[in-house]
Amino acid sequence: MEQKQLAQKAISLLDLTNLNDDCDDAAIEALCQRAKTFYGNTAAVCVWPHFVKKAKECLGGTTIKVATVVNFPHGGEDLFATLDETAKALEDGADEIDLVIPYEAFKVGRRGFAETMVLKVREAVPAPAKLKTILETGELQDADIIRAAADMAIEAGADFIKTSTGKVKTNATPEAAEIMMEAIAESGKPVGFKPAGGVRTLEDAGTYLAIAAKYMGSDWATPDHFRFGASGVLDALLATMQGQTAKAGDGY
């Protein structure tokens, strides 16, 4: 795939993200405006729950989805608070819920607890809304644990499995992507994949799309099955489309 074709495809798969602590209404307006590019819209914007209504207003009349995060970023163990957060986000118009699994509990062997949270949140997110589960692979670290978490989330009904919050030292890596894509391929289920955090260049995007193609074929990566969780990469993608030197973007 030549560079401009790759860049345009990556734009269409992007969950353009602002999960900064200093985010405000003006930042959400700017984010939503950036999501509508000359080369096509991004798949979604991803914002804090209290900005869902604002994002929906800004994106009225477009096909751009509004995603939000719950149990974020620490993957806590308060199931009822997470369910309340999910219900409020959906009421405000969220199209997609990105749930951080209680990864520390999973890591130390309390896998049934983590599974219960995914199952209960899945019940609370009716179609056509999507549930993405964030495994926080950089904290799980061990390949066998990452695979077990991916299998658990898939079996519990996740629409997507996502690498990371973007809030820890190690976020998306090709190694974690290989493990997760293999889990999806072997499950036989229509589950999507979302690398998040640290996707900043066209080369990064190409790396993850190549991994997806290896397991699922070159036509699999559509917005229904594949997303990038990022904000900084958009500048690099736009620069490529404009024939400029693409620099690595800042941010998530």
Side-chain angles (χ1 to χ4, degrees):
M1 190 181 296
E2 62 98 15
Q3 284 199 328
K4 286 189 177 181
Q5 186 182 8
L6 174 60
Q8 189 161 26
K9 183 177 182 69
I11 290 169
S12 75
L13 301 173
L14 182 59
D15 284 3
L16 190 63
T17 301
N18 189 331
L19 295 171
N20 298 333
D21 292 336
D22 61 354
C23 187
D24 58 16
D25 281 358
I28 295 299
E29 290 173 2
L31 183 79
C32 293
Q33 192 59 41
R34 291 187 72 223
K36 297 175 277 190
T37 88
F38 182 76
Y39 306 100
N41 293 341
T42 68
V45 298
C46 186
V47 301
W48 291 108
H50 50 283
F51 290 118
V52 167
K53 274 189 177 180
K54 180 66 176 177
K56 289 294 285 189
E57 291 171 4
C58 293
L59 294 172
T62 77
T63 60
I64 302 169
K65 305 297 186 184
V66 175
T68 194
V69 289
V70 299
N71 205 30
F72 187 95
H74 302 300
E77 298 186 15
D78 192 334
L79 172 59
F80 295 107
T82 302
L83 289 171
D84 287 345
E85 197 174 23
T86 300
K88 179 63 163 61
L90 292 170
E91 183 181 323
D92 286 348
D95 301 295
E96 301 175 354
I97 300 293
D98 288 26
L99 163 72
V100 185
I101 72 166
Y103 57 87
E104 290 291 353
F106 193 91
K107 187 176 179 179
V108 300
R110 296 173 57 218
R111 298 182 179 186
F113 177 82
E115 182 181 30
T116 295
M117 181 174 284
V118 178
L119 286 167
K120 292 298 185 184
V121 175
R122 169 75 279 173
E123 290 174 5
V125 181
K130 300 287 188 183
L131 173 63
K132 308 191 197 89
T133 50
I134 304 172
L135 307 186
E136 201 69 289
T137 54
E139 295 296 295
L140 295 179
Q141 299 179 331
D142 182 89
D144 290 340
I145 298 177
I146 294 170
R147 176 57 192 259
D151 289 341
M152 177 276 292
I154 291 168
E155 287 303 313
D159 294 303
F160 278 74
I161 52 175
K162 174 178 171 180
T163 59
S164 321
T165 60
K167 300 290 189 179
V168 295
K169 182 178 179 181
T170 301
N171 291 289
T173 65
E175 293 77 16
E178 289 269 1
I179 295 166
M180 295 167 70
M181 282 303 313
E182 183 177 64
I184 290 170
E186 292 181 357
S187 76
K189 296 179 182 293
V191 176
F193 173 64
K194 180 177 173 179
V199 182
R200 296 192 174 95
T201 68
L202 181 66
E203 183 180 10
D204 291 338
T207 294
Y208 290 109
L209 285 170
I211 292 169
K214 171 183 171 181
Y215 288 95
M216 303 299 291
S218 59
D219 295 332
W220 181 80
T222 67
D224 286 337
H225 294 128
F226 190 102
R227 302 287 182 83
F228 292 108
S231 56
V233 74
L234 182 58
D235 288 338
L237 300 177
L238 293 175
T240 299
M241 295 302 299
Q242 293 159 2
Q244 301 170 2
T245 301
K247 298 180 180 179
D250 296 326
Y252 175 81

